[in-house]
Amino acid sequence: MKDGTSYRFDAIYLALGCKVRSQLAEAVGARCYEDGYVTVDEHQQTSIHGMYATGDAVNALNQIAIGFGQAAIAASHAHRELAPSRLDLQISLLNEHENTRLIGMSAA
């Protein structure tokens, strides 16, 4: 410090601030808190089925690592949600083809 005082810290975090940009989510009807953050469930899914929000758009610790973690949670959930639809489609296409017989299948 200018006066010669010194301090010791175990960690220092910079606070840059965050401006919530949730206008698009609000415009399509997703629920948001009064401060603008998009409301999400434990899978990062908004009030609109199939729509996810992560990072600075949701109320959490505004750090890149947190945003990446939220994105991984959302992507995993979206993948699980879509998988049965794709599987059903593949089975129907196989059944429609006259030279194909479905012998067996297992799901992970």
Side-chain angles (χ1 to χ4, degrees), residues 13 21 36 46 53 56 61 63 85 90 94-95 102 108:
Y13 293 95
R21 299 182 189 272
T46 68
D56 293 347
L61 187 59
Q63 292 184 349
S85 301
Q90 290 170 353
L94 283 173
N95 288 335
L102 187 59

Side-chain angles (χ1 to χ4, degrees), residues 5 8 23 28 31-32 34-35 38 42-43 46 52-53 55 62 64 66 68 74 76 88 93-94 96-97 99 102:
T5 306
R8 299 190 107 192
Q23 296 88 345
V28 297
R31 279 195 299 270
C32 296
E34 283 185 29
D35 55 7
V38 181
E42 66 276 10
H43 304 292
T46 68
Y52 298 84
N62 298 105
I64 292 170
I66 301 297
F68 278 126
S76 295
D88 291 342
L93 291 174
L94 283 173
E96 288 174 11
H97 193 279
N99 295 325
L102 187 59

Side-chain angles (χ1 to χ4, degrees), residues 81-101:
E81 288 286 300
L82 292 174
S85 301
R86 284 186 303 203
L87 186 58
D88 291 342
L89 176 62
Q90 290 170 353
I91 290 171
S92 338
L93 291 174
L94 283 173
N95 288 335
E96 288 174 11
H97 193 279
E98 63 186 41
N99 295 325
T100 304
R101 300 287 182 264

